[in-house]
Structure formats: C-alpha cells, structure tokens
Amino acid sequence: MSLPVTCVQVIEVARVTPRTARITFQSDELDASVGTSPDQQVKLCFPRPGQEAPVLPGRTDDAMGWYQAYLAIPEAERPWMRSFTLRRRRPDTRQFEIDFVLHGDTGPASAWAEQARPGDRLGMVGPSALYASPVSIGSAAAAADWVLMVGDESALPAIGTLLEALPDGTATMVFAEVADRAEEQPLPGPAGTTVRWLHRDGAAPGRRLVEAVATADLPAGTPFAWLAGEASAVRRLRRHLVEERGVPKASIEFSGYWRHRLTQDDAPTAEDLADARELLARATAD
C-alpha cells in the first residue's frame, strides 16, 4: 500500500485561541488527496534538537518497509512522530492548515508549535488509507436519526471538518470540552446544530464530557455517535452510550487520540490493545 512521505514547510502561524495555534504548511509535492475529505489524518515528524529538518526514509509503496526503515534510524536522530487531523486545505493551492493544542514543552509537538516560524520544516507521512476512517459521515448520518459528536480540544479539527461535510438538515448535537471559555472557537455546521461547550477549569480530562453526556436529555431515536479525545474518557463515553442509552456498537465511531500522563512513545495498555483489536476487526469487516 502506498505511503506518501513529503517535506512540508511552515508559511504562516496564527492563534485561533490562546492555547491553539493554526499552522499553515506548504509542500511542492503535496498529494492531490490532501484535504479533500473530512477527518483526514496524517503523521507529522518533528526534528530532534540540532536538526533543521527531520531525517526520514524516502517515499515508498511498501508501508511496512518504510516503517521498519524509520525504526532503524538511531534513536538520537529518529524524528518524533505524532498524529494530526488536517483542518483545511486552502483552495487552489498546495497549502493546508493543521491546529496544534499548546500545552507548554511537555511534548515535542507542542514545544515545536510554540516556537514555529515561517520557513521551519517537518516531515509528513500520509494521508493514507492506512489511517482512513472506514465510515463516511454522509452515509452514517443518512442511516441514523441524528448525529452526536463528543470530543475535547484535540478533536475539534476533526469535528470541524465533519460538521462541514454533513448534509443540510442533519440534526446534530456536539459536546466539546476545552480548558476554559477562552478556548471556545467557531464550529460551523448544518442548520439545527447544537454545540455545548464544557470548561474543564482544572478538572480531570474528559470528566466534564462524561458527566454532561450522561445527564443530557438526548434526542429520541438512534444516533450516529462520533467520539474522540482522551482515551479513558472515550471508553467511558462509549460504555455509557452502549450500556445505558442502548446505542448499538456499530453506530459508534471512536478514537482515543491521547492518554492522560502517557505519550505516544509509551507502551500501549491492555485497554489500548483491546480498542485497537476492535477497530481492526471493524476495518477488516468493512
């Protein structure tokens, strides 16, 4: 399976909120598929200290072979790799936008984004069918009575693209958890979209989301539910919808984007592996 690998360069940095940077990248080799569908994920590769650009294997049609070559790079030189959702491709250009949640220097992506300037370079892997969602938001919405989207600030780029792709007239309810009121941002969607903002204000990640959904007066009928954000909160939300709301598992698309007190470099937990097995089983069935 083809795995696009390219070098991308920063051309603009803007603040969407005090803790969210929207960084615009450009690449002369940008694949035509970049930014053409909602919830499209890529992996960004960040240089190690002292590197002007990340050291990466070249483009290949062998995805597994490329990843093995990436792992063969000495650890001190191997770029940090993190997953992101494309927020928007600028029409008729080779430019695209990605939102970064800023939380100080506790992670390589946030630390890089805090200091990002035009001319800075990263590596980009994807987009690829390897990380594509098997669910079409249009067909999922058409098969459901209404749409439920739940996520924290890490999920807002995907939620934004999904809302923009929903058919007109789709009844939609969004629960979005952010640090505080200053982190709210516009989320355009079809007429009838309801957005409920939840402010963490020091609470544990995901706690406000779980409490709000569990106590909400949700519309009648079966929804298509899309859940993303901190992994343990996503599991609790999914369990609530299935066990207490009677939502079929097949009607829930879910993804644990990040883990509280753990990074993508830490080993997966037993729950992480169970989630991965279920998602793989679904993708194989589809």
Side-chain angles (χ1 to χ4, degrees):
M1 181 176 291
S2 178
L3 190 65
V5 180
T6 187
C7 177
V8 299
Q9 181 169 302
V10 176
I11 62 169
E12 185 179 312
V13 180
R15 288 291 177 95
V16 178
T17 71
R19 295 184 181 91
T20 301
R22 179 162 294 165
I23 299 183
T24 304
F25 295 91
Q26 177 169 299
S27 173
D28 293 338
E29 300 178 356
L30 198 64
D31 191 275
S33 66
V34 173
T36 58
S37 60
D39 194 13
Q40 193 174 57
Q41 295 187 25
V42 297
K43 293 184 182 294
L44 294 180
C45 301
F46 297 85
R48 293 278 183 167
Q51 296 177 339
E52 291 187 3
V55 177
L56 286 172
R59 182 186 298 261
T60 178
D61 289 333
D62 178 7
M64 185 56 67
W66 184 92
Y67 189 62
Q68 292 299 323
Y70 164 79
L71 292 178
I73 298 172
E75 186 175 358
E77 301 175 18
R78 187 190 313 139
W80 289 288
M81 186 184 293
R82 296 293 184 266
S83 300
F84 287 86
T85 301
L86 294 168
R87 182 60 188 88
R88 187 174 76 99
R89 180 168 182 157
R90 293 187 173 180
D92 304 317
T93 73
R94 294 182 181 272
Q95 302 170 4
F96 60 94
E97 300 166 352
I98 292 180
D99 288 356
F100 289 73
V101 178
L102 305 177
H103 44 81
D105 59 359
T106 56
S110 176
W112 178 88
E114 289 272 10
Q115 305 297 323
R117 299 291 184 272
D120 291 348
R121 290 178 292 164
L122 296 180
M124 186 173 79
V125 182
S128 167
L130 287 171
Y131 349 116
S133 168
V135 176
S136 161
I137 186 63
S139 60
D145 296 306
W146 59 286
V147 172
L148 172 67
M149 296 186 189
V150 187
D152 58 24
E153 52 268 84
S154 69
L156 292 181
I159 289 174
T161 64
L162 290 165
L163 286 173
E164 291 164 356
L166 282 173
D168 290 341
T170 304
T172 308
M173 181 174 287
V174 179
F175 290 83
E177 180 186 284
V178 292
D180 52 39
R181 186 177 299 278
E183 292 305 302
E184 296 181 14
Q185 57 180 270
L187 286 177
T193 298
T194 300
V195 179
R196 182 174 173 185
W197 290 100
L198 305 161
H199 305 143
R200 204 154 39 247
D201 290 330
R207 176 181 169 185
R208 305 290 190 209
L209 280 178
V210 175
E211 292 174 345
V213 174
T215 59
D217 184 12
L218 300 180
T222 300
F224 166 69
W226 186 94
L227 318 174
E230 198 283 320
S232 63
V234 169
R235 291 187 193 105
R236 294 197 300 273
L237 286 161
R238 185 165 170 255
R239 190 179 308 120
H240 166 73
L241 291 175
V242 172
E243 297 178 0
E244 300 180 40
R245 300 281 190 171
V247 179
K249 286 185 177 182
S251 297
I252 303 174
E253 180 81 356
F254 67 96
S255 183
Y257 281 171
W258 62 284
R259 300 176 296 170
H260 190 40
R261 297 193 175 94
L262 294 173
T263 75
Q264 290 187 27
D265 300 318
D266 293 311
T269 66
E271 290 178 313
D272 295 332
L273 293 172
D275 289 345
R277 284 193 294 270
E278 179 167 347
L279 291 171
L280 179 61
R282 286 192 185 191
T284 302
D286 291 336

PDB file of all heavy atoms in Angstrom, residues 35-48:
ATOM      1  N   GLY A  35      -6.514  16.912   2.161  1.00  0.00           N
ATOM      2  CA  GLY A  35      -7.541  17.889   2.489  1.00  0.00           C
ATOM      3  C   GLY A  35      -8.814  17.784   1.683  1.00  0.00           C
ATOM      4  O   GLY A  35      -9.610  18.726   1.654  1.00  0.00           O
ATOM      5  N   THR A  36      -9.036  16.647   1.039  1.00  0.00           N
ATOM      6  CA  THR A  36     -10.221  16.518   0.190  1.00  0.00           C
ATOM      7  C   THR A  36     -11.363  15.774   0.863  1.00  0.00           C
ATOM      8  O   THR A  36     -12.421  15.630   0.275  1.00  0.00           O
ATOM      9  CB  THR A  36      -9.854  15.791  -1.118  1.00  0.00           C
ATOM     10  OG1 THR A  36      -9.301  14.504  -0.793  1.00  0.00           O
ATOM     11  CG2 THR A  36      -8.831  16.584  -1.912  1.00  0.00           C
ATOM     12  N   SER A  37     -11.156  15.283   2.089  1.00  0.00           N
ATOM     13  CA  SER A  37     -12.221  14.576   2.795  1.00  0.00           C
ATOM     14  C   SER A  37     -12.159  14.924   4.272  1.00  0.00           C
ATOM     15  O   SER A  37     -11.109  15.333   4.775  1.00  0.00           O
ATOM     16  CB  SER A  37     -12.097  13.063   2.592  1.00  0.00           C
ATOM     17  OG  SER A  37     -10.852  12.604   3.073  1.00  0.00           O
ATOM     18  N   PRO A  38     -13.267  14.773   5.000  1.00  0.00           N
ATOM     19  CA  PRO A  38     -13.269  15.122   6.423  1.00  0.00           C
ATOM     20  C   PRO A  38     -12.505  14.103   7.260  1.00  0.00           C
ATOM     21  O   PRO A  38     -12.318  12.957   6.855  1.00  0.00           O
ATOM     22  CB  PRO A  38     -14.755  15.130   6.777  1.00  0.00           C
ATOM     23  CG  PRO A  38     -15.376  14.187   5.795  1.00  0.00           C
ATOM     24  CD  PRO A  38     -14.599  14.354   4.527  1.00  0.00           C
ATOM     25  N   ASP A  39     -12.079  14.553   8.441  1.00  0.00           N
ATOM     26  CA  ASP A  39     -11.408  13.682   9.411  1.00  0.00           C
ATOM     27  C   ASP A  39     -10.241  12.946   8.766  1.00  0.00           C
ATOM     28  O   ASP A  39     -10.059  11.745   8.944  1.00  0.00           O
ATOM     29  CB  ASP A  39     -12.420  12.697  10.006  1.00  0.00           C
ATOM     30  CG  ASP A  39     -11.891  11.985  11.254  1.00  0.00           C
ATOM     31  OD1 ASP A  39     -10.864  12.428  11.790  1.00  0.00           O
ATOM     32  OD2 ASP A  39     -12.503  10.981  11.677  1.00  0.00           O
ATOM     33  N   GLN A  40      -9.427  13.686   8.019  1.00  0.00           N
ATOM     34  CA  GLN A  40      -8.294  13.079   7.308  1.00  0.00           C
ATOM     35  C   GLN A  40      -7.038  13.231   8.160  1.00  0.00           C
ATOM     36  O   GLN A  40      -6.638  14.338   8.510  1.00  0.00           O
ATOM     37  CB  GLN A  40      -8.102  13.751   5.953  1.00  0.00           C
ATOM     38  CG  GLN A  40      -7.181  13.012   5.014  1.00  0.00           C
ATOM     39  CD  GLN A  40      -7.156  13.658   3.640  1.00  0.00           C
ATOM     40  OE1 GLN A  40      -6.846  14.828   3.505  1.00  0.00           O
ATOM     41  NE2 GLN A  40      -7.488  12.880   2.610  1.00  0.00           N
ATOM     42  N   GLN A  41      -6.411  12.107   8.475  1.00  0.00           N
ATOM     43  CA  GLN A  41      -5.275  12.118   9.394  1.00  0.00           C
ATOM     44  C   GLN A  41      -3.945  11.963   8.669  1.00  0.00           C
ATOM     45  O   GLN A  41      -3.857  11.271   7.656  1.00  0.00           O
ATOM     46  CB  GLN A  41      -5.429  11.004  10.430  1.00  0.00           C
ATOM     47  CG  GLN A  41      -6.618  11.205  11.350  1.00  0.00           C
ATOM     48  CD  GLN A  41      -6.651  10.191  12.471  1.00  0.00           C
ATOM     49  OE1 GLN A  41      -5.626   9.637  12.865  1.00  0.00           O
ATOM     50  NE2 GLN A  41      -7.831   9.935  12.994  1.00  0.00           N
ATOM     51  N   VAL A  42      -2.935  12.622   9.235  1.00  0.00           N
ATOM     52  CA  VAL A  42      -1.561  12.474   8.767  1.00  0.00           C
ATOM     53  C   VAL A  42      -0.676  12.309  10.001  1.00  0.00           C
ATOM     54  O   VAL A  42      -1.107  12.528  11.136  1.00  0.00           O
ATOM     55  CB  VAL A  42      -1.084  13.700   7.958  1.00  0.00           C
ATOM     56  CG1 VAL A  42      -1.905  13.869   6.702  1.00  0.00           C
ATOM     57  CG2 VAL A  42      -1.120  14.974   8.812  1.00  0.00           C
ATOM     58  N   LYS A  43       0.559  11.917   9.761  1.00  0.00           N
ATOM     59  CA  LYS A  43       1.547  11.863  10.832  1.00  0.00           C
ATOM     60  C   LYS A  43       2.638  12.877  10.526  1.00  0.00           C
ATOM     61  O   LYS A  43       3.205  12.865   9.425  1.00  0.00           O
ATOM     62  CB  LYS A  43       2.124  10.449  10.972  1.00  0.00           C
ATOM     63  CG  LYS A  43       1.079   9.442  11.451  1.00  0.00           C
ATOM     64  CD  LYS A  43       1.685   8.072  11.678  1.00  0.00           C
ATOM     65  CE  LYS A  43       0.619   7.066  12.108  1.00  0.00           C
ATOM     66  NZ  LYS A  43       0.037   7.373  13.412  1.00  0.00           N
ATOM     67  N   LEU A  44       2.903  13.762  11.488  1.00  0.00           N
ATOM     68  CA  LEU A  44       3.959  14.748  11.345  1.00  0.00           C
ATOM     69  C   LEU A  44       5.202  14.266  12.080  1.00  0.00           C
ATOM     70  O   LEU A  44       5.105  13.679  13.163  1.00  0.00           O
ATOM     71  CB  LEU A  44       3.515  16.102  11.897  1.00  0.00           C
ATOM     72  CG  LEU A  44       2.368  16.795  11.157  1.00  0.00           C
ATOM     73  CD1 LEU A  44       2.048  18.130  11.815  1.00  0.00           C
ATOM     74  CD2 LEU A  44       2.690  16.980   9.672  1.00  0.00           C
ATOM     75  N   CYS A  45       6.354  14.516  11.486  1.00  0.00           N
ATOM     76  CA  CYS A  45       7.630  14.072  12.040  1.00  0.00           C
ATOM     77  C   CYS A  45       8.455  15.294  12.421  1.00  0.00           C
ATOM     78  O   CYS A  45       8.731  16.151  11.574  1.00  0.00           O
ATOM     79  CB  CYS A  45       8.369  13.217  11.022  1.00  0.00           C
ATOM     80  SG  CYS A  45       7.429  11.749  10.506  1.00  0.00           S
ATOM     81  N   PHE A  46       8.821  15.372  13.701  1.00  0.00           N
ATOM     82  CA  PHE A  46       9.471  16.552  14.266  1.00  0.00           C
ATOM     83  C   PHE A  46      10.963  16.305  14.447  1.00  0.00           C
ATOM     84  O   PHE A  46      11.375  15.253  14.949  1.00  0.00           O
ATOM     85  CB  PHE A  46       8.831  16.899  15.612  1.00  0.00           C
ATOM     86  CG  PHE A  46       7.381  17.261  15.500  1.00  0.00           C
ATOM     87  CD1 PHE A  46       6.401  16.271  15.507  1.00  0.00           C
ATOM     88  CD2 PHE A  46       6.996  18.582  15.365  1.00  0.00           C
ATOM     89  CE1 PHE A  46       5.064  16.597  15.384  1.00  0.00           C
ATOM     90  CE2 PHE A  46       5.652  18.915  15.238  1.00  0.00           C
ATOM     91  CZ  PHE A  46       4.683  17.927  15.248  1.00  0.00           C
ATOM     92  N   PRO A  47      11.796  17.282  14.064  1.00  0.00           N
ATOM     93  CA  PRO A  47      13.244  17.087  14.164  1.00  0.00           C
ATOM     94  C   PRO A  47      13.716  17.014  15.611  1.00  0.00           C
ATOM     95  O   PRO A  47      13.113  17.610  16.513  1.00  0.00           O
ATOM     96  CB  PRO A  47      13.811  18.327  13.462  1.00  0.00           C
ATOM     97  CG  PRO A  47      12.730  19.354  13.571  1.00  0.00           C
ATOM     98  CD  PRO A  47      11.436  18.595  13.511  1.00  0.00           C
ATOM     99  N   ARG A  48      14.779  16.287  15.813  1.00  0.00           N
ATOM    100  CA  ARG A  48      15.442  16.245  17.109  1.00  0.00           C
ATOM    101  C   ARG A  48      16.240  17.535  17.307  1.00  0.00           C
ATOM    102  O   ARG A  48      16.526  18.256  16.341  1.00  0.00           O
ATOM    103  CB  ARG A  48      16.380  15.036  17.170  1.00  0.00           C
ATOM    104  CG  ARG A  48      15.671  13.696  17.156  1.00  0.00           C
ATOM    105  CD  ARG A  48      15.173  13.311  18.526  1.00  0.00           C
ATOM    106  NE  ARG A  48      14.544  11.993  18.524  1.00  0.00           N
ATOM    107  CZ  ARG A  48      14.254  11.304  19.623  1.00  0.00           C
ATOM    108  NH1 ARG A  48      14.530  11.823  20.819  1.00  0.00           N
ATOM    109  NH2 ARG A  48      13.681  10.112  19.550  1.00  0.00           N
TER     110      ARG A  48
END
